[in-house]
Amino acid sequence: MPTVIEPKLIAGNSNLPLASAIARRMSMHRGMTVDLVNARVERFNDGEIFVEVFENVRGEDMFIIQSTSNPANDNLMELLIIADALRRSSAQRVTAVIPYFGYARQDRRTKARTPISAKLVANMLVEAGIARVLTMDLHAAQIQGFFDIPVDNLYASPIFALDIKHQFKDSMADLMVVSPDVGGVARARELAKRINAPLAIVDKRREKPGEVADMTVIGEVAGKKCIIVDDMVDTAGTLCKAADLLMSSGATEVHAYISHGVLSGPAVERVSKSVMKSLVITDSIAAPDPVKACKNIRILPTAPMFAQATLNIWNGTSVSSLFETDTLEPIYEGFFKG
């Protein structure tokens, strides 16, 4: 067993650029090199996942970096199998760093004879030997209660606030934060408080799941630069309709800040043709080429925050301190200069 237990990172295939960026930021924060553990995560011809770790991890504090994004099932199985490999290799503790937690939308039974898949995934992670979870902007906060192990849920809103203050520094008085639905009011209010802006709500009513029948704006948005804030954008249909509604209600500009850019199906095409001037997402999900090429989509880095949170977990200091702008701003110094 090592005399000094160092944090060691290992990554699945879901978001290798983010995993590498977290390792680089940890190296900067610590003043010593932190590399990803040498391992291979491969598939047999029939799709079975195989993991082999090439370094000794006995007694080590291990952090698996893996978003359970598309393909969600493959990435989830990678995470579980990596955790099992580390546990069987006598790692002292295994922490799952899951920037985007898949299946989070299935957090309750909306009708009879349906699953609560988020709870099932939580059970699977614990059974695989994971002792702690670090994630960001869970779709529903109560998912933390599905686990019998510690869960640290980071928030993108402090990063969004830093970016907004940089991008709109000459027009902060004209900003209006907008929640795209009643359920997201708490998230929108949090961001509005950080940038000292008023709050509006888009009230949407559905005839059936996936189809919005009617949308109305609660609040006066005329003459305002509206910032829609939400935790996830999938097909972007509702988001683009909300942007159209805000512009027709007198808004001068519409921007969106979304934590997780799922952006499936026609999402990128819809965003590119939308009245939105910009859609800002984080790199919690690896961006495919069409997302990178879209002119009105920007991607904010989460590696500085995840790197510091990982170090805080390793050395037993506060993770919630990263919710505060005063703590996060020095970490992001250099990203929002000039």
Side-chain angles (χ1 to χ4, degrees):
M1 186 172 178
T3 54
V4 178
I5 299 173
E6 298 288 340
K8 285 199 171 183
L9 308 181
I10 187 170
N13 293 315
S14 71
N15 200 339
L16 284 172
L18 177 57
S20 299
I22 291 173
R24 287 196 301 272
R25 293 297 302 194
M26 286 179 65
S27 299
M28 291 173 61
H29 293 171
R30 296 203 65 210
M32 59 185 295
T33 302
V34 177
D35 291 320
L36 296 175
V37 166
N38 188 16
R40 63 172 173 149
V41 182
E42 297 177 349
R43 282 165 176 73
F44 295 135
N45 290 334
D46 64 352
E48 282 187 18
I49 296 166
F50 174 74
V51 172
E52 184 177 7
V53 182
F54 295 117
E55 297 180 23
N56 179 29
V57 297
R58 184 179 298 273
E60 299 284 6
D61 196 359
M62 299 299 304
F63 294 83
I64 309 171
I65 304 170
Q66 176 82 335
S67 284
T68 50
S69 50
N70 184 37
N73 297 332
D74 286 357
N75 288 329
L76 175 60
M77 280 304 300
E78 279 190 13
L79 174 58
L80 296 172
I81 293 173
I82 293 171
D84 186 72
L86 295 174
R87 182 184 64 172
R88 294 177 187 277
S89 302
S90 302
Q92 184 185 81
R93 182 177 65 172
V94 178
T95 299
V97 180
I98 312 175
Y100 170 70
F101 189 90
Y103 285 99
R105 284 176 279 187
Q106 300 183 49
D107 62 301
R108 65 193 185 282
R109 299 185 70 194
T110 56
K111 58 181 72 174
R113 295 174 297 280
T114 57
I116 304 179
S117 302
K119 171 59 176 170
L120 174 61
V121 170
N123 290 344
M124 293 166 68
L125 293 172
V126 174
E127 286 299 316
I130 289 169
R132 191 181 196 102
V133 171
L134 173 64
T135 187
M136 184 182 77
D137 273 340
L138 285 169
H139 184 66
Q142 67 264 22
I143 292 174
Q144 296 174 78
F146 293 174
F147 290 86
D148 292 325
I149 57 176
V151 177
D152 293 302
N153 184 31
L154 300 174
Y155 299 100
S157 59
I159 308 173
F160 289 163
L162 291 173
D163 186 75
I164 290 168
K165 289 176 181 177
H166 175 74
Q167 296 291 331
F168 301 94
K169 57 187 174 184
D170 298 325
S171 56
M172 292 296 293
D174 299 329
L175 298 184
M176 169 77 80
V177 175
V178 179
S179 173
D181 52 45
V182 175
V185 169
R187 182 180 294 106
R189 186 185 295 118
E190 166 68 15
L191 180 61
K193 182 180 178 182
R194 288 182 182 273
I195 63 173
N196 195 27
L199 177 66
I201 303 167
V202 173
D203 180 32
K204 61 186 180 186
R205 299 172 189 180
R206 299 181 186 270
E207 293 290 343
K208 55 184 178 181
E211 293 186 10
V212 178
D214 186 34
M215 300 177 77
T216 56
V217 179
I218 303 173
E220 183 55 58
V221 299
K224 294 288 188 179
K225 294 182 179 180
C226 291
I227 296 177
I228 302 173
V229 59
D230 206 354
D231 71 306
M232 185 186 306
V233 55
D234 191 350
T235 60
T238 303
L239 179 63
C240 292
K241 286 180 181 178
D244 290 337
L245 177 63
L246 292 168
M247 289 297 290
S248 65
S249 300
T252 58
E253 295 178 5
V254 177
H255 305 262
Y257 280 75
I258 312 292
S259 303
H260 306 296
V262 179
L263 297 172
S264 59
V268 175
E269 183 181 0
R270 285 174 174 169
V271 171
S272 65
K273 295 178 180 178
S274 170
V275 297
M276 282 188 298
K277 290 198 70 174
S278 68
L279 167 62
V280 181
I281 58 176
T282 74
D283 58 356
S284 64
I285 296 173
D289 290 337
V291 173
K292 295 177 182 176
C294 187
K295 293 182 179 179
N296 55 344
I297 296 180
R298 284 195 301 117
I299 302 174
L300 293 181
T302 57
M305 181 172 65
F306 275 110
Q308 190 61 54
T310 300
L311 288 172
N312 288 6
I313 290 171
W314 165 69
N315 61 30
T317 55
S318 172
V319 173
S320 62
S321 63
L322 296 173
F323 303 163
E324 303 300 326
T325 303
D326 291 344
T327 305
L328 204 61
E329 194 167 17
I331 298 172
Y332 276 83
E333 187 179 12
F335 287 96
F336 303 111
K337 275 187 175 180

